[in-house]
Amino acid sequence: MSCSHKCIEAARKYLLWCANEHVEFRIPELKSIASMFNIPIKWIDKPKEDPYVIVEMRCEADAKKLMSRSLLVRSCYELWGEGSTEAELHSNVRSFPAEFMKPHLAPEKTFKVRVEAFNKTLKIADKLAKIEALEYLPFEGHVDLKNADTCLHFIEYYGLDPNSIPTTPYKIFVGRWVAEGQRELIGRFSLKKRHYIGSTSMDAQLAFIMTNLAQVQSGEVVADPFVGTGSILVSAAYWGGHVWGWDIDFLTLHARTKPTRHSQKQRLSCESIASNLEQYGLERHYLDVTVMDNAKPVWRDVPFIDAIITDPPYGIRESTERVGSLKVSRPSSYNQDNTTTTTTTTPHTPYSPSNHYPSKVSYSLSHVFCDLLNFAAIHLIIGGRLVFWLPVFREDYHDGMIPSHPCLELMYNCEQVLTVHSSRRLITLRKIRHPTGEETAIGQVADLTAKFRERFFQASLMTKDERQAIKSQFPRDKRGQGLGYRLEEAKNQTKMVRMDVAAKCEDSVIPVCETTRQKEEINKLNTVKTVSVAMCETSVMTGGEINTLGNDNNEKAITTNVTTECVTRDESACCRHESSATRNDTLTSLSTGNQVLHNPDKNPEGELNARVDL
């Protein structure tokens, strides 16, 4: 009987405890790694939001291979039992096959039991009680809390909402630890420790996830057409790929741009893409980088690249440009009398190598992605993968916006939220055949091209309520945490109630008296934090009298920074609104107990009555 057949007969369940971030990348990464190592996986439970996945694999060796590449899985456990209650859990653990359990609890094997809780802190006494509840297991070895041969984990899952923790866990697991994921690479390759970085350097974790989706393996050729500071090259080289790339920005490739670190005033002589790979001992995997326009590649049209991984510019931190000029002078022609005549300059002369200019012109996003897909269709080998980021607006996004090519098959489409209105999607394409004839890419991102930069900065102009309204349309918040167990937020939040609504309630407007008092009475309002004077006319009512500020030559108004509270008949229904506004030639009504500022002449209908919340 073959070894693989034995593995299939001994197939068992494994619990993959994942990091609670980049939720949409979790399953695609696991599928890519499993496909790369030819590991058959049966999905038992893969919830969309919860930080765990239960799979069935042939043997422990497959589980360790999977963990040798995963960045989004913290730990892998051989699952001995699970349940919604402790009684159900212990019943399932008792029914776990003894032949799978005894080799790890033999007399020569030391052991320990560790109790963990997700989203809750357990007391020491509670942990000891849960450990003692496992006394029915056939432990025969000695306890070793530092270097145990067998480590059992008792894990309780209390959901994702830290503000509403249930008294009993949603799920309980007992399993034997098998392997850790590659989370330590995040800190080891952190941009904070890297020699050369820029304003658009790819985060180390995302760069490793991209290389996993591209299935980079030792000895493969990996290219980045928008290489920048080479962050993706570092991650690809770590897995053994031979990396190279190109970029149109000469200064970035030669580390002559302005430093992005706050404490750094000028670039160091040792900063370069090559020094980044030397920093991690990966210089032998570095081929080279070159200054080149991706719109006009110079490479031969033959398939020789195993993976293309890149992050094209969006026009936010880095401009989207290509080599060219809108005004190209045509060569002069000579007459028979040796006099020259210059051809009229046209603003839209097409670019060609014969009239090359070192200046740059705008490079639309639609053309960026079309050129990228056309390059991949020609230069990737069959089965090679193209992984790139696509910026989108969440409200306008639909699957038809993804650039496509007849020779490329869509594998994965994962979203990373940037703001409440925009995100970027990590697109993974696989080459299925070579192009024939005039097959070209289809990039349907025209609307995105013209408006992405302007609309990206709309967040600074949006109110809090507008942000919440847009955010509520999507099932995931900005940090990528699940919302399945979160309590619904109160719908009646802080609002500005206009007087035309409040006037329907009785006694909602305090009447204004018709007598006056001297200007010095304004000092009685010294409890108001900020009062500034502006040019206009305002009246002050104290008790039952009115005092007019200013005179015919110098009319003044009051600008206040106050906390206003809507006046309605039902005090429990009042809503609050923090405001700091300058009101000139508009109604200002201020009440402190029995003190009110009001100017009926400026707005006789009374647009707002507000009471100071001291």
Side-chain angles (χ1 to χ4, degrees), residues 270-289:
C270 62
E271 292 186 59
S272 67
I273 296 177
S275 68
N276 284 344
L277 283 93
E278 293 174 359
Q279 178 181 357
Y280 303 105
L282 304 173
E283 62 275 8
R284 63 189 182 92
H285 296 283
Y286 177 60
L287 299 179
D288 206 348
V289 293

Side-chain angles (χ1 to χ4, degrees), residues 91-151:
S91 176
N92 291 333
V93 173
R94 285 188 173 94
S95 62
F96 187 73
E99 60 270 21
F100 294 161
M101 184 185 301
K102 287 185 178 180
H104 306 288
L105 304 178
E108 65 275 9
K109 297 286 186 178
T110 58
F111 72 92
K112 70 176 180 179
V113 179
R114 184 174 181 179
V115 178
E116 300 173 292
F118 184 89
N119 197 28
K120 186 175 183 179
T121 302
L122 300 178
K123 297 180 180 180
I124 299 297
D126 295 336
K127 292 183 178 182
L128 292 176
K130 298 178 187 302
I131 293 175
E132 292 174 355
L134 296 173
E135 61 182 1
Y136 56 84
L137 293 176
F139 293 109
E140 298 182 13
H142 299 285
V143 175
D144 187 347
L145 298 180
K146 292 185 178 181
N147 300 304
D149 298 321
T150 301
C151 183

